[in-house]
Amino acid sequence: MTTILFALAAYLIGSISFAVVVSKGFGIADPRTYGSKNPGATNVLRSGNKAAALLTLFGDGFKGWLAVWLAQRFGPQYGLDDTGVALVAVAVFLGHLWPVFFRFVGGKGVATALGVLLAINGWLGLATLVTWLVIAYAFRYSSLAALIASIFAPFYYGLLFGTDALLLAVLVMSGLLIYRHRQNIANLMAGKESRIGSKKKT
């Protein structure tokens, strides 16, 4: 029962779509109506409002970190083990992808996944972030950077900690992240993918 409650709370935390909330607060268009129509920081950046994009990035990353940190900090006293923490990690990620508060239309999970990884271990999150930054800087494609980073994340975890329930959680998140980028993969192959910083078409 404890594991279910922690996982449910994590899912609800993940269901807060900061791209939509922040955009509304800044008085800019709903990110689900322009660009890639993805409620995420990269698409919010296409509005031209960098502050909104940064707040979205921080919010989506923070909620992933928060859910896992709460499970690690308070879970053990209620009998939550590493498997339970792994379920919480997946639950907050699922909340972002399919948020109950926004008719199950969510983002692709890059920032939230990073927040989860940082909560699991700072070095794991940092290694994954550096991978994203290197690819993004070299090629200027956020989606490509996310795909490469998601592939490397499980390998980083395995090298640092070996095989356990949290590795399975990282693998699940990586698989779902790649799945959510399937249109981006098609666009990359067709040479139609938007680069970082490109604004929405009017």
Side-chain angles (χ1 to χ4, degrees), residues 68-112:
V68 176
W69 180 83
L70 288 173
Q72 292 173 324
R73 176 65 177 81
F74 299 103
Q77 60 187 300
Y78 296 104
L80 194 73
D81 57 12
D82 287 345
T83 300
V85 174
L87 288 174
V88 165
V90 173
V92 68
F93 188 69
L94 290 175
H96 180 79
L97 300 188
W98 293 287
V100 67
F101 303 133
F102 297 91
R103 299 181 179 181
F104 304 102
V105 179
K108 295 175 182 176
V110 178
T112 302

Side-chain angles (χ1 to χ4, degrees), residues 56-67:
T56 298
L57 181 67
F58 175 80
D60 284 344
F62 178 72
K63 69 184 181 183
W65 177 88
L66 178 64

